[in-house]
Amino acid sequence: MCAILGNEHEYNGLLPLTANRPLSTLYFDCKYRIMDFALSSAVNANIRTVYMILNEGRFKSVFDHLGGSREWGLDSIGSYQYLGFYQDILRKKVEGKPYFSDMIGFLKKSKSEYTVFFGNKMLCNVDLRSILDVHQAHDSKITVVFKRVPKEKIAPDDCILTLEDDNRVKQTDIFSELDEASDLYNLSMSIFLVKTDWLIDLLHKGQNAGAPASVQELLNREMTRTNTRAYEYTGYLSNIYDIKSYYDANMDMLDPEHFNTLLFSSQRVITRTKNEVATHFYDSSDVNSSQFATGCVIKGKVDRSLVSRRTTIEEGARVKDSVIMSNAQIKRGAKLQYAILDKNVEVEAGVTIQGTPENPVVITKDSHIVADIYGGEN
């Protein structure tokens, strides 16, 4: 198999966290990035040939995180990576040129019998070899991965599947356009497995007919036009499309069941390694139900929070129900609850940052907070 990682879709609901980075490089659970999960699923299935679609102006953090791709084994002889820009595809379409030509060239060079496509916002840990077994057993044109979820876990533009008794896809709908309410919906996870030759043919025909420039949209449309079978995923899933869904996904990792299901299944999750000293907890620290990455200095109180690398929490400071990204400085007597701090934030002594579970306060990268912040202010 080879893999295509589609990173072109962004959500305004995640601003300001995604103002200068793509959704796929958002921090998760102290040391991971969201893109780690799709990449790890691919390399766990022995995929070493990857095409990544990016948005112009939002690729620096991708390169910073991937480095030479050594951790994922994509720097070895025989591996092949290709980076393409979604805006190039759009420009070629407007100019009447073959806009999928680069992707078709990649697929031909990969010499892979099968291709898997990943969207960029479903945080999960899938076993592609099991999906391939089902795909081969039923000789489907498309196998799409889905999970049954309640409406609170679905974005308005998500694709919902209506299935036959044998899990064939009968109908697809945009969630916001559904008329009937249900307890659970068959949410497409935007993970598709197809034969490479079939996909090449679809891309050729699509660009000749003016099809959507998004491969994800093209495959969504094709599900009801060809033999498509749905594969039910039963592991942990978070659908990241706004600040609350991002916050909730991180806080889920404080539940041992969710944490172990996602990160310690038979499928390992790989991220970029950094050789740093361990986090140091002073005698004055008071820590409960929290997680920390390396290099932190903890002197204050931390309760039900996730703290990323090289963060300092001074004596008398209190952090509760919060997500702290790397290099934060939280000074003496500061109080944080229901907050998300982006990288390199400095919170002055005695300052209070107070959000709510439904509306956590987001502090933007490189901010220096010298006055109290409540609710949705920043």
Side-chain angles (χ1 to χ4, degrees):
M1 290 185 284
C2 67
I4 298 174
L5 275 59
N7 295 295
E8 69 269 25
H9 291 291
E10 299 292 342
Y11 283 82
N12 289 335
L14 281 163
L15 292 171
L17 292 178
T18 54
N20 297 299
R21 63 161 73 91
L23 185 162
S24 57
T25 59
L26 279 175
Y27 278 75
F28 177 74
D29 192 34
C30 302
K31 69 174 185 177
Y32 298 96
R33 305 295 182 105
I34 291 173
M35 68 185 299
D36 290 338
F37 293 85
L39 266 178
S40 297
S41 292
V43 300
N44 285 333
N46 203 34
I47 291 174
R48 296 294 182 268
T49 309
V50 176
Y51 183 102
M52 191 174 296
I53 305 169
L54 304 173
N55 280 309
E56 289 179 352
R58 292 192 179 186
F59 54 84
K60 182 180 182 297
S61 62
V62 175
F63 293 154
D64 288 346
H65 182 61
L66 288 177
S69 302
R70 174 180 57 84
E71 286 85 355
W72 296 272
L74 296 175
D75 62 341
S76 59
I77 295 173
S79 63
Y80 180 65
Q81 296 178 72
Y82 191 95
L83 300 174
F85 291 105
Y86 183 52
Q87 286 72 18
D88 281 342
I89 299 174
L90 293 173
R91 277 192 289 267
K92 288 178 181 179
K93 182 178 180 181
V94 170
E95 294 168 359
K97 297 178 180 177
Y99 45 97
F100 289 131
S101 56
D102 287 347
M103 197 175 302
I104 291 169
F106 161 82
L107 293 170
K108 290 179 177 178
K109 282 185 179 180
S110 77
K111 296 182 170 59
S112 301
E113 186 175 1
Y114 297 95
T115 299
V116 60
F117 175 91
F118 287 93
N120 63 333
K121 70 189 185 82
M122 299 291 177
L123 202 154
C124 57
N125 190 348
V126 299
D127 184 350
L128 293 178
R129 290 163 295 192
S130 296
I131 299 169
L132 178 61
D133 288 343
V134 170
H135 184 81
Q136 291 173 328
H138 295 97
D139 195 28
S140 305
K141 294 295 185 186
I142 303 173
T143 296
V144 58
V145 184
F146 80 100
K147 185 174 175 65
R148 303 181 197 276
V149 300
K151 64 180 181 180
E152 302 83 45
K153 303 291 185 181
I154 306 175
D157 64 341
D158 279 336
C159 179
I160 304 300
L161 310 177
T162 301
L163 306 176
E164 305 280 7
D165 292 339
D166 61 354
N167 271 6
R168 291 180 188 274
V169 175
K170 178 181 179 181
Q171 182 177 327
T172 62
D173 294 281
I174 301 301
F175 179 66
S176 61
E177 298 174 0
L178 285 173
D179 295 327
E180 297 183 9
S182 175
D183 293 333
L184 294 173
Y185 296 85
N186 299 324
L187 172 66
S188 167
M189 292 167 56
S190 303
I191 300 174
F192 302 90
L193 197 150
V194 299
K195 273 200 167 185
T196 302
D197 288 346
W198 179 86
L199 180 58
I200 290 172
D201 185 57
L202 176 67
L203 295 174
H204 273 302
K205 291 178 178 177
Q207 65 187 7
N208 290 336
S214 164
V215 178
Q216 182 173 320
E217 292 177 22
L218 183 61
L219 289 169
N220 279 340
R221 187 182 73 172
E222 202 65 22
M223 279 194 285
T224 55
R225 299 182 177 185
T226 191
N227 177 19
T228 302
R229 190 171 295 269
Y231 175 97
E232 184 174 7
Y233 171 73
T234 57
Y236 175 86
L237 171 73
S238 274
N239 183 12
I240 310 294
Y241 56 91
D242 60 14
I243 293 296
K244 186 176 187 310
S245 62
Y246 173 72
Y247 174 81
D248 289 346
N250 277 279
M251 300 307 291
D252 275 352
M253 294 300 100
L254 300 178
D255 181 326
E257 182 179 353
H258 291 323
F259 177 78
N260 289 322
T261 299
L262 180 64
L263 294 169
F264 290 96
S265 69
S266 58
Q267 296 283 115
R268 66 190 180 118
V269 180
I270 307 162
T271 190
R272 188 176 181 186
T273 56
K274 293 191 177 182
N275 296 320
E276 296 179 320
V277 298
T279 285
H280 183 69
F281 299 92
Y282 280 70
D283 290 341
S284 60
S285 66
D286 181 2
V287 174
N288 299 282
S289 302
S290 298
Q291 292 181 18
F292 299 82
T294 53
C296 299
V297 175
I298 309 300
K299 299 179 180 179
K301 184 170 184 178
V302 183
D303 187 20
R304 286 193 53 78
S305 295
L306 300 105
V307 182
S308 294
R309 295 178 169 112
R310 299 177 300 279
T311 289
T312 298
I313 300 176
E314 293 186 359
E315 190 170 350
R318 179 171 180 174
V319 176
K320 186 176 182 181
D321 303 309
S322 295
V323 178
I324 312 297
M325 298 187 199
S326 63
N327 299 304
Q329 302 291 319
I330 301 169
K331 297 187 176 180
R332 183 182 295 268
K335 296 180 181 179
L336 280 65
Q337 186 173 23
Y338 302 119
I340 301 173
L341 270 58
D342 207 332
K343 295 171 62 177
N344 308 323
V345 169
E346 183 177 355
V347 181
E348 281 296 337
V351 167
T352 295
I353 300 176
Q354 178 71 55
T356 67
E358 296 300 313
N359 185 26
V361 172
V362 178
I363 306 300
T364 56
K365 181 179 177 182
D366 300 321
S367 295
H368 184 194
I369 307 301
V370 298
D372 295 348
I373 297 177
Y374 293 91
E377 301 174 17
N378 58 12

